[in-house]
Amino acid sequence: MPSKTLSTPGSSDKIADLVSEDTTRSRRPQKVGFVSLGCPKNLVDSEVMMGLLARAGAELSPRAEDADVIVVNTCSFIESAQQESVNTILEMAEHKASGRAKKLVVAGCLVERFRDEIRKRIPEVDAVVGTGELQNILAATGVGAAPSRLTPTKPASPFVVLPSRAEGDARAAQGRFSRGQWDGAIADLPNYLYDDETPRILATPKSTAYIKIAEGCDHPCTFCIIPQLRGQFRSRRFESVVAEAERLAQADVREITLIGQDTTCYGEDFGLKDGLALLLDKLAKIEGLRWIRFLYAYPNKITGRLLETIASSEKICSYMDVPLQHASAPVLKRMKRGGGADVFLRSIAKMRRAIPDLTLRTSFIVGFPGETELEFEELCEFVRDAQFDWMGTFSYSDQEGADAYGLDMKLSVREIERRRKHLMGIQRQISKRKKKALVGQEFDLLLEGTSEETDLLMEGRTSMHAPEIDGKVFVNDFPEEAELQPGEFYRCQITEAHDYDLLARVL
């Protein structure tokens, strides 16, 4: 997700519904500006911090140059994300030197990874807030004191401490979550997750919202440090997710995207079997919701019950994002993922039989240590066979703390980039053919507003397009009498196709 300064689109009624105004202001409120980087899970963290600040009396500013305090919520997933985070922090630091800002706060995953180094190398930073310390944003910004931590007699924290599951406990005993080699990292892993009563201000367009249904990850993937950054896997309470979805629907949100590092594990820590399927079925009954989707699915956690649930409801988008990471069995074994091309192709065929109009997205890592030319070609052939609707490719990035960091046979940056471009070239041709086949077909379109490309076009998404990550539908033709409104649904016909984007007219 690109860097963006967060504003709070939508009506003031919506914000009032989500944040209780329980403070009186005896002086001019602090103006706080937010820049959120990284994934939707990070965006939800930013929305929670904004909710806490607004409830404490702060005024949120969409313009960094107008803010008294600037908060940068960072990403540390791969090296390029870390560099983007550092660049953004330095850019925001300039507002302290030449603008109105008096404080600069850094939050998020970069803090978990480089807590001490941030303060040493960037002295303009006044405070840091890790992924497990969101309540500390009040003290860090100077708006107020952090809420008390959860205790048996005083549940004052806005976060609910959740249990872990047996798989995570076993991996913890094996050292999966160890951060001892990270200088300055605090010992305690994040163990909270917000609930339906946590104050939150949406930064998404008024008709769409994310709901984080789980946090953390227990998987042993050797390329990934998210378990150390986010802690063990933990699910939100079923009734808490439903309550938040109902409140959002009452605030005119029409599209909900459920997110977590692995949503298909949802409820396992509570002993729920097919917890995600049960949750989707319950959410589909909420009046006012139009589209429900979830990100992301772990390959071996996709059950028949889940596929049946998706296929049985018009409200649940026929869309799945299943990050496979590779297709060569030896590479997947080194990644501690399991599976292989044949297994995945059978699984994909099963998904498409169960959901005939399925939109399937995946992502891969190229250049993993030891990846041979033959293994890379096996991945390329798999992509040709699988015919994904959407696909992303990441260049392998060494991360201290990940098991792959100590592997031999590292590929050069130049070779990794060559492989990434080659794989995306294959997918580009697949995408072009698939998009061309949509010309002439009709779809429901969620209009998002004037295009970022040009004021001459409007843009939106169909149910085949997840927010932020997939292509766009540009609208260049609509009835003269129509007054198109962002956030509303319209019937459209596809008139032209490009590699990833579509052109449409509103009917």
Side-chain angles (χ1 to χ4, degrees):
M1 185 179 141
S3 163
K4 63 179 180 180
T5 303
L6 298 187
S7 57
T8 53
S11 66
S12 57
D13 291 339
K14 179 177 178 182
I15 294 174
D17 286 339
L18 297 172
V19 181
S20 59
E21 296 293 341
D22 57 0
T23 59
T24 57
R25 301 171 184 176
S26 58
R27 56 182 175 82
R28 183 182 70 79
Q30 289 267 63
K31 283 191 174 183
V32 183
F34 264 81
V35 180
S36 194
L37 305 169
C39 64
K41 298 182 292 295
N42 224 34
L43 179 63
V44 171
D45 288 348
S46 293
E47 292 174 336
V48 167
M49 287 188 283
M50 289 194 297
L52 290 169
L53 289 164
R55 188 175 67 175
E59 179 181 338
L60 300 174
S61 172
R63 289 163 47 89
E65 54 267 37
D66 294 338
D68 302 306
V69 183
I70 299 174
V71 180
V72 181
N73 195 13
T74 59
C75 178
S76 191
F77 177 50
I78 54 179
E79 185 179 354
S80 60
Q82 293 172 358
Q83 189 58 56
E84 181 189 18
S85 293
V86 171
N87 291 343
T88 303
I89 295 168
L90 294 174
E91 180 185 346
M92 292 301 108
E94 294 179 5
H95 291 286
K96 279 188 68 179
S98 59
R100 170 173 173 166
K102 300 295 186 292
K103 278 191 175 183
L104 176 60
V105 178
V106 175
C109 290
L110 196 73
V111 173
E112 296 293 344
R113 176 64 186 86
F114 299 105
R115 180 178 297 264
D116 285 355
E117 200 165 340
I118 290 170
R119 299 292 297 272
K120 290 175 184 175
R121 292 178 177 266
I122 312 177
E124 293 90 347
V125 174
D126 297 285
V128 293
V129 176
T131 62
E133 309 166 310
L134 299 194
Q135 69 271 22
N136 291 345
I137 192 64
L138 298 180
T141 56
V143 170
S148 302
R149 288 192 177 274
L150 194 68
T151 67
T153 57
K154 187 179 180 183
S157 171
F159 307 110
V160 177
V161 178
L162 296 175
S164 56
R165 57 184 188 144
E167 183 178 339
D169 292 338
R171 294 242 162 85
Q174 297 166 2
R176 177 64 180 107
F177 305 95
S178 173
R179 343 194 254 187
Q181 69 273 47
W182 291 353
D183 185 32
I186 59 176
D188 292 340
L189 284 170
N191 64 356
Y192 75 87
L193 184 55
Y194 83 103
D195 66 14
D196 58 296
E197 295 186 358
T198 307
R200 178 183 170 201
I201 291 182
L202 300 187
T204 48
K206 65 178 183 179
S207 59
T208 187
Y210 295 104
I211 296 181
K212 192 188 292 190
I213 65 170
E215 181 63 280
C217 181
D218 294 338
H219 294 303
C221 306
T222 58
F223 53 81
C224 187
I225 60 172
I226 287 176
Q228 293 102 306
L229 297 174
R230 293 278 177 175
Q232 292 180 227
F233 178 88
R234 52 214 184 269
S235 304
R236 271 180 67 180
R237 296 291 179 184
F238 194 94
E239 61 275 12
S240 172
V241 178
V242 174
E244 183 177 16
E246 289 174 338
R247 188 188 307 180
L248 289 168
Q250 292 167 5
D252 295 328
V253 169
R254 295 293 170 257
E255 176 191 35
I256 281 178
T257 301
L258 307 179
I259 55 173
Q261 199 58 38
D262 177 3
T263 54
T264 43
C265 283
Y266 175 76
E268 287 185 4
D269 39 343
F270 303 146
L272 276 180
K273 182 176 174 58
D274 281 310
L276 179 60
L278 293 170
L279 180 61
L280 288 169
D281 185 61
K282 182 71 172 179
L283 296 178
K285 294 179 172 63
I286 296 177
E287 185 176 350
L289 293 183
R290 182 81 170 262
W291 287 346
I292 304 165
R293 73 177 83 236
F294 62 94
L295 308 172
Y296 309 86
Y298 202 76
N300 65 0
K301 296 286 186 178
I302 299 169
T303 66
R305 172 74 178 275
L306 177 60
L307 297 176
E308 290 168 9
T309 302
I310 296 169
S312 66
S313 174
E314 290 186 359
K315 286 188 177 183
I316 303 173
C317 296
S318 299
Y319 180 105
M320 294 189 70
D321 187 338
V322 189
L324 295 175
Q325 311 302 1
H326 214 279
S328 169
V331 176
L332 287 162
K333 185 177 181 180
R334 295 197 296 275
M335 290 179 168
K336 290 189 178 178
R337 295 276 298 185
D342 291 342
V343 173
F344 292 158
L345 287 173
R346 288 195 297 270
S347 178
I348 290 168
K350 178 182 177 181
M351 286 185 259
R352 286 173 170 158
R353 283 195 303 271
I355 312 170
D357 59 345
L358 176 68
T359 296
L360 185 59
R361 179 181 179 85
T362 193
S363 56
F364 296 107
I365 296 172
V366 296
F368 189 78
E371 181 190 62
T372 65
E373 189 64 45
L374 189 63
E375 290 167 340
F376 174 66
E377 183 50 44
E378 185 178 0
L379 172 59
C380 294
E381 189 60 29
F382 171 75
V383 169
R384 295 186 189 100
D385 291 341
Q387 297 285 300
F388 295 103
D389 298 283
W390 304 108
M391 189 189 90
T393 302
F394 293 94
S395 298
Y396 171 77
S397 171
D398 246 350
Q399 293 296 310
E400 187 179 1
D403 285 352
Y405 186 78
L407 294 180
D408 296 327
M409 300 176 65
K410 301 285 175 63
L411 278 67
S412 69
V413 172
R414 182 175 180 179
E415 176 59 19
I416 292 174
E417 180 62 13
R418 182 193 72 80
R419 294 184 183 190
R420 188 193 68 79
K421 287 182 177 179
H422 182 73
L423 189 62
M424 286 308 300
I426 295 170
Q427 176 61 23
R428 185 178 299 107
Q429 294 306 312
I430 294 170
S431 178
K432 188 174 183 178
R433 288 194 300 270
K434 282 180 166 283
K435 300 303 176 284
K436 187 176 181 180
L438 299 175
V439 174
Q441 295 187 42
E442 295 182 9
F443 298 93
D444 289 336
L445 177 81
L446 174 57
L447 192 70
E448 294 187 307
T450 303
S451 170
E452 295 177 358
E453 307 289 333
T454 170
D455 291 342
L456 300 177
L457 297 173
M458 301 194 81
E459 66 183 42
R461 294 181 289 109
T462 72
S463 62
M464 301 179 292
H465 300 76
E468 303 278 355
I469 57 176
D470 295 327
K472 297 178 180 179
V473 180
F474 296 104
V475 176
N476 68 341
D477 188 11
F478 50 87
E480 278 189 27
E481 66 277 10
E483 295 184 7
L484 302 186
Q485 297 295 322
E488 298 296 328
F489 286 85
Y490 298 92
R491 196 66 178 169
C492 76
Q493 183 181 54
I494 306 302
T495 58
E496 191 177 320
H498 297 275
D499 291 353
Y500 299 108
D501 299 325
L502 298 167
L503 206 61
R505 67 185 182 95
V506 171
L507 300 176

